[in-house]
């Protein structure tokens, strides 16, 4: 591609992101005092693909008052659950040139609570984060304490959630920057979650590279081995840390406009599909999220086109 044509293409994607900010994106994630109606959600948030936070969105859930450590021990302490274990708190993230996945350990939930409450020492960082509807699959005793779905979202989309997930972990557990093909309702039961959000129109400024996959393996002495996955395809992932971006390596990220927000107990974040997000949390934070499968419509087509254009620009 000719140099002047490439410069014009880069200017076009920059203008796309600028126009999105000027025309419809908010400078900060707005707060609502009550949930939207299905029609309001469709018109004001789903179609424009914009996030929002609802105050007191789940104050009617018994979980808000009941999910204390003693209650969780009583209800699910003997339950065997899946726990992600890493040496540094980063599961599913780039580390030392690999896409590192956690050791997924089966353990009694009571043992996990002992670690979070620091009643017993453990090597590494522990996080309940399995995302295949683990609330319904691994914590069925807790289902009575939360809604099975979010009525206004279910009505607006005409479908039930694809998955309902339970999240709990240590403050050192971090979710690296990524996107999902879901309309996500993230509900914090206790503690708080800290999000960094980037809209899909900032995709040209976000670096993706391909990394060989590997998993952590914890030894009996508490040390960690890295186990490379043999004959596995490389994983496309974002090597940039938005908390400390290396602009000398990724100068285009200086054109991105990340938005920071905190979701506190009783609040619900609507995280639209295809938005990039990075997540931290307070120690022992508990959350439940609802994943509704996105519609693979023209919005998805436009994003795929922008993604393809970005790959072409980066390859030149």
């Amino acid at each position: 591609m000719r140099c002047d044509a490439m410069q014009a293409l880069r200017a076009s994607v920059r203008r796309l992101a600028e126009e999105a900010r000027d025309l419809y994106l908010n400078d900060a994630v707005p707060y609502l005092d009550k949930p939207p109606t299905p029609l309001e959600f469709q018109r004001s948030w789903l179609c424009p693909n914009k996030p929002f936070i609802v105050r007191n969105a789940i104050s009617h859930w018994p979980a808000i008052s009941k999910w204390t450590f003693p209650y969780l021990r009583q209800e699910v302490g003997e339950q065997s659950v899946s726990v992600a274990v890493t040496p540094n708190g980063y599961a599913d993230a780039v580390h030392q040139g690999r896409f590192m996945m956690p050791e997924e350990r089966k353990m009694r939930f009571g043992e996990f609570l002992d670690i979070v409450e620091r009643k017993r020492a453990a090597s590494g960082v522990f996080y309940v984060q399995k995302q295949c509807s683990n609330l319904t699959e691994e914590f069925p005793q807790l289902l009575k304490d939360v809604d099975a779905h979010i009525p206004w979202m279910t009505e607006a989309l005409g479908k039930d959630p694809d998955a309902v997930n339970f999240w709990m972990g240590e403050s050192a557990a971090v979710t690296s920057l990524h996107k999902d093909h879901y309309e996500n309702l993230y509900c914090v039961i206790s503690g708080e979650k800290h999000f960094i959000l980037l809209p899909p129109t900032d995709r040209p400024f976000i670096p993706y590279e391909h990394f060989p996959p590997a998993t952590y393996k914890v030894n009996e002495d508490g040390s960690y081995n890295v186990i490379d996955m043999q004959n596995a395809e490389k994983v496309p992932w974002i090597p940039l840390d938005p908390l400390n971006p290396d602009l000398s390596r990724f100068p285009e990220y200086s054109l991105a406009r990340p938005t920071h927000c905190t979701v506190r107990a009783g609040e619900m974040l609507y995280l639209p599909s295809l938005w990039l997000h990075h997540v931290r949390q307070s120690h022992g934070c508990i959350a439940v999220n609802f994943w509704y499968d996105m519609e693979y419509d023209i919005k998805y087509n436009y994003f795929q086109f922008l993604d393809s254009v970005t790959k072409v620009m980066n390859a030149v």
Side-chain angles (χ1 to χ4, degrees):
M1 185 178 289
R2 287 169 30 202
C3 182
D4 55 347
M6 179 56 68
Q7 290 177 348
L9 185 59
R10 292 187 185 279
S12 295
V13 299
R14 292 179 183 181
R15 191 161 56 249
L16 171 71
E18 291 168 358
E19 288 180 348
R21 296 174 198 133
D22 290 342
L23 293 173
Y24 67 93
L25 291 176
N26 300 106
D27 293 332
V29 178
Y31 281 83
L32 306 182
D33 290 325
K34 62 180 181 179
T37 66
L39 182 58
E40 289 170 342
F41 174 66
Q42 281 273 5
R43 286 178 172 174
S44 301
W45 308 104
L46 180 67
C47 292
N49 194 239
K50 297 197 303 182
F52 61 86
I53 296 171
V54 186
R55 295 187 177 97
N56 300 313
I58 54 172
S59 56
H60 61 288
W61 285 10
I64 292 293
S65 60
K66 292 174 68 175
W67 283 11
T68 62
F69 281 74
Y71 177 83
L72 293 174
R73 285 184 187 280
Q74 173 186 316
E75 294 294 312
V76 288
E78 297 303 314
Q79 188 86 358
S80 178
V81 301
S82 303
V83 180
V85 185
T86 63
N88 55 11
Y90 283 80
D92 300 332
V94 175
H95 183 66
Q96 297 182 346
R98 296 179 175 89
F99 176 71
M100 292 304 309
M101 293 173 284
E103 176 181 291
E104 189 173 282
R105 186 180 304 179
K106 281 287 190 179
M107 60 191 303
R108 287 175 45 255
F109 190 64
E111 294 179 68
F112 168 78
L113 292 177
D114 286 342
I115 294 168
V116 174
E117 290 189 282
R118 301 189 174 108
K119 292 182 176 180
R120 55 169 283 203
S123 175
V125 180
F126 289 67
Y127 193 18
V128 175
Q129 59 146 34
K130 190 169 182 178
Q131 298 153 40
C132 299
S133 207
N134 70 333
L135 179 63
T136 57
E137 297 299 317
E138 296 193 337
F139 298 90
Q141 303 94 324
L142 300 180
L143 291 174
K144 62 183 182 297
D145 298 331
V146 301
D147 288 344
H149 67 109
I150 305 301
W152 52 267
M153 179 74 131
T154 299
E155 182 176 343
L157 298 180
K159 65 180 84 172
D160 290 325
D162 190 58
V164 185
N165 303 307
F166 176 95
W167 307 78
M168 184 178 185
E170 301 180 81
S171 59
V174 176
T175 301
S176 67
L177 190 64
H178 72 288
K179 70 178 187 304
D180 296 311
H181 294 82
Y182 291 102
E183 309 297 344
N184 188 352
L185 289 177
Y186 208 99
C187 308
V188 175
I189 309 296
S190 66
E192 55 188 35
K193 292 272 185 175
H194 309 287
F195 287 81
I196 300 175
L197 306 178
L198 291 131
T201 45
D202 275 2
R203 167 63 184 95
F205 318 131
I206 310 299
Y208 272 85
E209 297 176 8
H210 287 75
F211 300 91
T215 59
Y216 289 113
K217 177 65 178 176
V218 186
N219 300 312
E220 289 186 5
D221 64 359
S223 63
Y224 282 76
N225 287 338
V226 172
I227 309 299
D228 292 310
M229 296 181 65
Q230 301 301 315
N231 303 316
E233 292 186 3
K234 290 186 175 181
V235 177
W237 207 257
I238 301 169
L240 177 139
D241 181 359
L243 295 173
N244 186 28
D246 184 350
L247 296 181
S248 63
R249 182 180 172 191
F250 308 114
E252 288 294 306
Y253 185 72
S254 64
L255 299 171
R257 294 294 180 268
T259 299
H260 297 248
C261 69
T262 296
V263 186
R264 297 175 174 84
E267 295 179 343
M268 171 193 293
L269 168 68
Y270 167 57
L271 178 57
S273 58
L274 304 177
W275 275 63
L276 295 134
H277 50 287
H278 173 281
V279 193
R280 294 170 295 144
Q281 63 191 349
S282 61
H283 193 79
C285 176
I286 305 174
V288 169
N289 85 303
F290 298 80
W291 269 343
Y292 288 79
D293 206 10
M294 70 173 290
E295 292 297 325
Y296 290 87
D297 52 17
I298 195 165
K299 176 176 66 179
Y300 175 76
N301 293 146
Y302 280 147
F303 178 81
Q304 290 297 97
F305 177 73
L306 181 60
D307 186 61
S308 298
V309 168
T310 301
K311 291 174 181 176
V312 169
M313 292 191 305
N314 292 340
V316 174

